[in-house]
Amino acid sequence: KSDLIEILLELGRTLEARDLAQLVPAAADLRRTAEEATEAADTARRAAEQAIAAQAAIEAARQRHPKAINEDLLSRLAETLSCQVPELPERASALVRFCDERVAQQRIVQALQKL
């Protein structure tokens, strides 16, 4: 019984709830935030996977046809990433970093949920 009370007190401190009545809404807010973070991380992960695949496609095209890269593919990819063709490697790297950060945020939220 004392363990349960200690857990509730720690949870209240973690969620900055001043009393038991605030604990449930704070936990619900944390759950909503975690769900939103999970959704955002999933979206970011899918975008990162697409960016990595695009980088691989660009590199494969360069290796197969060093002088004749498929300009249409590069132009469409640049349009999707809202940049110019020469900026594609930098933009794809930034997208991967962004996705990594979102996944890290999701892991932090999940760790907090386990408290």
Side-chain angles (χ1 to χ4, degrees):
K1 203 172 190 182
S2 64
D3 290 341
L4 180 58
I5 292 171
E6 185 60 37
I7 290 170
L8 285 172
L9 288 172
E10 182 62 31
L11 184 58
R13 283 190 291 270
T14 302
L15 296 177
E16 298 177 356
R18 291 186 205 103
D19 59 38
L20 189 57
Q22 292 178 336
L23 190 58
V24 173
D29 286 344
L30 178 60
R31 181 185 177 118
R32 277 191 296 278
T33 300
E35 289 170 352
E36 291 170 1
T38 299
E39 185 178 312
D42 289 343
T43 301
R45 187 174 52 252
R46 283 191 299 275
E49 289 168 357
Q50 291 173 350
I52 291 168
Q55 277 184 315
I58 291 167
E59 189 56 36
R62 283 185 180 147
Q63 289 176 1
R64 280 194 310 267
H65 309 288
K67 294 182 182 180
I69 296 173
N70 187 338
E71 291 299 324
D72 182 52
L73 170 67
L74 294 177
S75 295
R76 285 186 287 148
L77 181 59
E79 184 178 323
T80 300
L81 295 177
S82 302
C83 67
Q84 299 297 319
V85 172
E87 300 169 337
L88 281 172
E90 181 181 322
R91 186 62 70 111
S93 293
L95 184 58
V96 170
R97 277 192 311 278
F98 171 77
C99 294
D100 289 343
E101 290 169 3
R102 295 304 291 250
V103 169
Q105 290 172 354
Q106 179 188 16
R107 289 182 180 149
I108 290 169
V109 169
Q110 289 171 341
L112 288 172
Q113 281 182 314
K114 291 180 183 179
L115 293 178

